[in-house]
């Protein structure tokens, strides 16, 4: 198991020839869920498991959805503010505006690995709550900024704090849900990005009608969204659970069932001890870098977040029309993500295929934007909307990554690498949008099209690699290395007893556990 493992005295008594027989391990080495699920072989009643899953949904999903809506709305305030007067009020050049989009992701990148280490070391819910609070203060502070330097600082703080959210949600999703459930749940909280675009569009429309002598519309937008974020941070602190092993809304018996129903994942819940060997394995695992490359390329086009409303305005629409038309982007994202994850969850081993198919409209949209007459503003508008369909591929990839990675330290390392690549793509993207390419922006759109085509190929390559590995493991002899591992636990009568630890809760990586099969 590790340096802390030691053979039990019973090895000699039984005269076993297998070195792994009756190995005892410390609680530090294994998954926190082992205390709740190990040694309990009772079959879970499906109806009871379903009841507890619904209870988890009721208490966890709404908060996750609200926060993801809030964080995306906050992230897009820069794009919304562009047509509400922020560029004129703070005297931003095109290059400085692009840098405000980039510094957010460079900060996100710099703090991503430290954020993941903190998510492992500290209670997940509390750490996210702290970051949301700091983030809310930074967002409200936008309204006090008078120049590029001030906006640069607050955008840097936003990026630093947001590094905890998606990573934290990926960890929470794998803690509470089975593999198939994760695909749907990740889709549910990610599609809140679309909801945020709709709601922020209406908020932006409303702020355009606020006329005060001291505050401009863009400043009101920052204050309103910052206040909503502040309220969310307080709700998260008191209501969001850190783990199924200590969830306040579950009884001790329900916590045990909540953990045991996750055995099929073979990924456990969490382990607060950092394991260097798991980090090294993550760095040398080819699939880590395939997912990272996909994440980077798929998010170069995400620079459209801060450009969409500027582009729509350039088609000839007024500011009021542009703010309302931005809501359509959100509706498209909601519908496509919801249908995509539903199909991927319903059809076994279809993740790569669904993600690839949903990116085809993006390529079509890029083609139309480049070749439609500039006078056809309605056609150009619809073409741009079409490029939002492929977000589904990234959502599926996020849930897929959690499904195929085991070992808590390995998981946080892989998450950090993938989200760092996400930052690199997002940080590089804004620099495509140079003034010399306007109004058609042919160069940026061609780059976006190439990125989407590469992403489609990468999804299929990842599937091939994982499928090949599954076949290799099917041909291997049964591995019983971890079949007889025990821990010491104090029983109800106060007597210390030896309890068998199931392989699923030994905090093994997907490579160590040869029974692990990759979902496709």
């Amino acid at each position: 198991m590790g340096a802390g493992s030691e053979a039990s005295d019973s090895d000699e008594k039984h005269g076993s020839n297998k070195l792994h027989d009756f190995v005892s391990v410390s609680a530090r080495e294994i998954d926190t869920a082992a205390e709740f699920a190990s040694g309990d072989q009772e079959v879970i009643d499906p109806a009871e498991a379903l009841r507890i899953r619904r209870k988890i949904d009721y208490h966890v999903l709404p908060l996750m959805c609200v926060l993801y809506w809030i964080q995306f709305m906050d992230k897009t305030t820069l794009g919304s503010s562009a047509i509400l007067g922020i560029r004129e009020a703070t005297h931003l050049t095109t290059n400085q505006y692009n840098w405000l989009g980039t510094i957010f992701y460079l900060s996100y990148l710099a703090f991503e690995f430290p954020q993941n280490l903190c998510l492992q070391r500290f209670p997940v819910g509390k750490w996210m709550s702290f970051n949301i609070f700091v983030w809310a203060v930074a967002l409200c502070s936008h309204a006090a900024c008078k120049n590029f330097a001030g906006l640069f600082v607050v955008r840097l703080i936003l990026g630093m704090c947001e590094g905890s959210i998606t990573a934290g949600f990926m960890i929470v999703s794998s803690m509470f849900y089975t593999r198939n459930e994760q695909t749907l749940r990740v889709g549910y909280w990610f599609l809140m990005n679309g909801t945020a675009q709709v709601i922020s569009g209406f908020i932006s429309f409303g702020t355009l009608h606020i006329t005060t002598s001291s505050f401009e519309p863009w400043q009101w937008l920052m204050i309103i969204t910052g206040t909503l974020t502040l309220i969310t941070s307080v709700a998260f602190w008191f209501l969001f659970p850190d783990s199924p092993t200590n969830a306040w809304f579950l009884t001790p018996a329900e916590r045990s069932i909540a953990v045991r129903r996750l055995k099929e994942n073979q990924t456990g819940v969490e382990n607060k001890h950092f394991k260097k060997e798991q980090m090294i394995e993550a760095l040398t695992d080819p699939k880590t870098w395939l997912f990272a490359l996909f994440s980077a390329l798929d998010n170069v086009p995400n620079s459209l977040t801060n450009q969409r409303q500027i582009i729509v305005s350039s088609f000839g629409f007024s500011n009021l029309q542009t703010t309302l038309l931005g809501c359509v982007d959100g509706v498209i994202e909601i519908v496509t993500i919801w249908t995509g994850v539903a199909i991927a969850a319903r059809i076994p081993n279809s993740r790569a295929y669904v993600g690839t198919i949903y990116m085809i409209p993006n390529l079509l949209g890029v083609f139309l934007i480049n070749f439609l007459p500039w006078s056809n503003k309605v056609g150009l508008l619809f073409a741009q909307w079409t490029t939002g369909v492929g977000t589904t591929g990234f959502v599926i990839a996020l849930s897929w990554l959690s499904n195929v990675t085991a070992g808590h330290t390995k998981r946080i390392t892989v998450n950090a690498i993938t989200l760092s690549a996400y930052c690199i793509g997002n940080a590089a993207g804004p620099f495509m949008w140079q003034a010399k390419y306007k109004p058609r922006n042919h160069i940026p759109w061609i780059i976006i099209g190439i990125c989407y085509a590469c992403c489609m190929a990468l999804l299929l390559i990842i599937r091939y690699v994982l499928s090949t590995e599954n076949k290799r493991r099917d041909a291997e002899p049964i591995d019983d290395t971890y079949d007889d591992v025990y821990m010491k636990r104090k029983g109800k009568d106060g007597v210390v007893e030896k309890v068998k630890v199931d392989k699923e809760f030994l905090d093994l990586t997907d490579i160590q556990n040869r029974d692990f099969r990759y979902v496709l």
Side-chain angles (χ1 to χ4, degrees):
M1 281 295 298
S5 302
E6 55 183 12
S8 169
D9 293 336
S10 57
D11 280 350
E12 296 178 4
K13 295 176 183 178
H14 286 75
S16 172
N17 292 322
K18 292 191 294 184
L19 293 176
H20 64 270
D21 274 0
F22 302 107
V23 173
S24 66
V25 291
S26 66
R28 168 188 168 104
E29 292 181 77
I30 59 179
D31 198 278
T32 55
E35 290 279 354
F36 288 81
S38 292
D40 192 345
Q41 302 301 321
E42 182 182 348
V43 177
I44 302 175
D45 178 13
E48 181 67 2
L50 179 60
R51 182 186 70 81
I52 290 172
R53 194 206 71 193
R54 287 174 175 166
K55 194 172 184 180
I56 292 170
D57 281 343
Y58 179 79
H59 288 88
V60 172
L61 265 185
L63 284 169
M64 293 177 76
C65 289
V66 167
L67 178 57
Y68 222 71
W69 156 54
I70 289 288
Q71 68 90 24
F72 191 82
M73 181 174 67
D74 293 351
K75 195 162 56 177
T76 57
T77 48
L78 181 64
S80 301
S81 298
I83 62 167
L84 296 179
I86 192 172
R87 290 181 295 175
E88 294 76 14
T90 56
H91 315 292
L92 296 177
T93 65
T94 298
N95 199 44
Q96 287 175 331
Y97 178 78
N98 289 340
W99 261 108
L100 292 180
T102 295
I103 190 56
F104 176 91
Y105 289 105
L106 288 179
S107 175
Y108 192 144
L109 173 63
F111 286 92
E112 186 55 40
F113 197 71
Q115 283 281 16
N116 273 270
L117 289 177
C118 289
L119 285 166
Q120 180 177 29
R121 177 66 180 83
F122 303 115
V124 175
K126 299 298 183 290
W127 181 251
M128 283 197 291
S129 301
F130 169 75
N131 278 275
I132 302 163
F133 177 82
V134 175
W135 175 0
V137 173
L139 189 62
C140 289
S141 300
H142 278 63
C145 296
K146 303 296 183 183
N147 52 37
F148 170 71
L151 289 171
F152 188 92
V153 172
V154 291
R155 295 292 295 177
L156 185 148
I157 295 172
L158 283 185
M160 175 181 69
C161 294
E162 204 210 330
S164 68
I165 306 305
T166 301
F169 276 17
M170 290 170 71
I171 292 172
V172 168
S173 296
S174 63
M175 280 182 177
F176 283 93
Y177 296 106
T178 64
R179 288 177 170 185
N180 210 41
E181 292 167 356
Q182 285 174 45
T183 301
L184 284 171
R185 270 67 186 178
V186 170
Y188 291 159
W189 52 256
F190 205 97
L191 64 78
M192 297 308 292
N193 286 357
T195 305
Q197 291 184 61
V198 175
I199 295 175
S200 63
F202 283 112
I203 292 176
S204 299
F205 181 78
T207 55
L208 271 172
H209 293 80
I210 299 177
T211 54
T212 54
S213 57
S214 56
F215 257 43
E216 295 187 32
W218 69 269
Q219 291 173 305
W220 278 113
L221 177 66
M222 297 299 181
I223 293 296
I224 291 169
T225 53
T227 302
L228 290 172
T229 307
L230 194 61
I231 294 170
T232 303
S233 71
V234 175
F236 241 73
W237 181 271
F238 290 105
L239 299 177
F240 197 77
D242 297 306
S243 163
T245 61
N246 61 10
W248 61 269
F249 55 85
L250 296 176
T251 66
E254 289 173 335
R255 291 172 189 171
S256 176
I257 295 174
V259 167
R260 285 161 53 210
R261 75 185 201 91
L262 300 181
K263 277 189 177 183
E264 68 178 72
N265 291 357
Q266 300 194 62
T267 57
V269 174
E270 66 174 341
N271 182 293
K272 293 298 184 185
H273 172 55
F274 184 83
K275 298 180 178 179
K276 182 180 177 181
E277 66 277 10
Q278 289 197 10
M279 183 188 75
I280 293 172
E281 182 179 307
L283 294 173
T284 56
D285 190 339
K287 72 175 183 294
T288 299
W289 302 105
L290 287 172
F291 274 107
L293 181 58
F294 172 87
S295 183
L297 292 175
D298 193 58
N299 282 284
V300 169
N302 207 35
S303 57
L304 283 167
T305 299
N306 292 327
Q307 297 290 335
R308 283 189 186 278
Q309 294 194 322
I310 296 174
I311 294 170
V312 171
S313 180
S314 74
F315 292 160
F317 295 98
S318 68
N319 285 351
L320 286 175
Q321 290 172 327
T322 301
T323 55
L324 289 178
L325 288 171
C327 298
V328 179
D329 293 294
V331 173
I332 290 171
E333 190 165 325
I334 291 170
V335 173
T336 54
I337 291 177
W338 184 79
T339 56
V341 297
I343 293 170
R346 182 175 292 274
I347 303 175
N349 297 323
S350 64
R351 289 165 176 79
Y353 299 142
V354 174
T356 300
I357 290 170
Y358 269 70
M359 285 187 176
I360 293 174
N362 289 47
L363 291 179
L364 176 62
V366 169
F367 181 86
L368 292 174
I369 284 177
N370 273 294
F371 292 103
L372 281 175
W374 187 244
S375 58
N376 187 357
K377 66 178 184 178
V378 174
L380 291 169
L381 179 64
F382 272 84
Q384 175 160 291
W385 284 338
T386 305
T387 62
V389 175
T391 306
T392 304
F394 184 66
V395 177
I396 289 174
L398 277 184
S399 64
W400 195 11
L401 180 64
S402 295
N403 293 166
V404 298
T405 308
H408 200 69
T409 299
K410 181 176 182 179
R411 196 155 57 216
I412 67 141
T413 304
V414 170
N415 287 350
I417 292 171
T418 302
L419 292 175
S420 294
Y422 161 90
C423 295
I424 292 170
N426 275 291
F431 291 102
M432 301 186 300
W433 305 95
Q434 300 293 324
K436 62 184 178 181
Y437 299 138
K438 293 181 179 179
R440 292 307 305 245
N441 290 307
H442 284 304
I443 299 300
W445 283 113
I446 290 171
I447 294 172
I448 287 173
I450 293 171
C451 286
Y452 283 135
C454 291
C455 286
M456 294 165 72
L458 279 169
L459 286 175
L460 298 176
I461 291 170
I462 291 170
R463 190 186 195 283
Y464 173 77
V465 169
L466 297 182
S467 176
T468 302
E469 178 60 23
N470 282 345
K471 292 175 182 176
R472 181 182 297 115
R473 295 189 183 191
D474 289 341
E476 291 177 354
I478 295 174
D479 180 18
D480 59 357
T481 306
Y482 303 100
D483 283 357
D484 294 299
V485 180
Y486 293 80
M487 64 177 289
K488 292 179 180 179
R489 182 175 69 183
K490 187 175 289 188
K492 295 179 181 178
D493 55 1
V495 177
V496 175
E497 57 185 4
K498 186 173 68 174
V499 182
K500 187 177 187 298
V501 182
D502 296 320
K503 184 183 292 187
E504 294 86 352
F505 301 118
L506 288 175
D507 192 37
L508 301 175
T509 67
D510 52 279
I511 292 179
Q512 289 174 321
N513 182 2
R514 306 309 292 177
D515 289 341
F516 191 98
R517 293 297 181 271
Y518 297 105
V519 294
L520 305 175

